[in-house]
Amino acid sequence: MVLHFLFFTIKIERNQPKPAQRIAAYERSRYLEQRAEAQALEAAQLMIRI
């Protein structure tokens, strides 16, 4: 976005994540979700054994 004033101009840019960063963040969140599910399943199996 560019704002023009009488004596100066301001340019504002948003920090957009790069595609590689978005993919890495998605992979991290997916891995964490899978790990949480595996831990929950393991805990449930331990509770059944007791």
Side-chain angles (χ1 to χ4, degrees):
M1 175 170 53
V2 178
L3 303 174
H4 297 282
F5 293 99
L6 188 58
F7 296 109
F8 56 92
T9 301
I10 298 176
K11 184 176 181 181
I12 301 172
E13 293 183 9
R14 292 186 178 187
N15 187 10
Q16 296 289 334
K18 295 179 180 165
Q21 291 173 330
R22 287 197 317 259
I23 292 170
Y26 173 74
E27 291 293 327
R28 275 192 304 272
S29 66
R30 189 170 156 213
Y31 169 76
L32 291 174
E33 288 176 8
Q34 288 177 348
R35 186 69 193 128
E37 289 176 9
Q39 287 176 345
L41 180 61
E42 186 177 338
Q45 288 174 345
L46 286 174
M47 292 302 293
I48 289 173
R49 290 183 191 165
I50 295 177

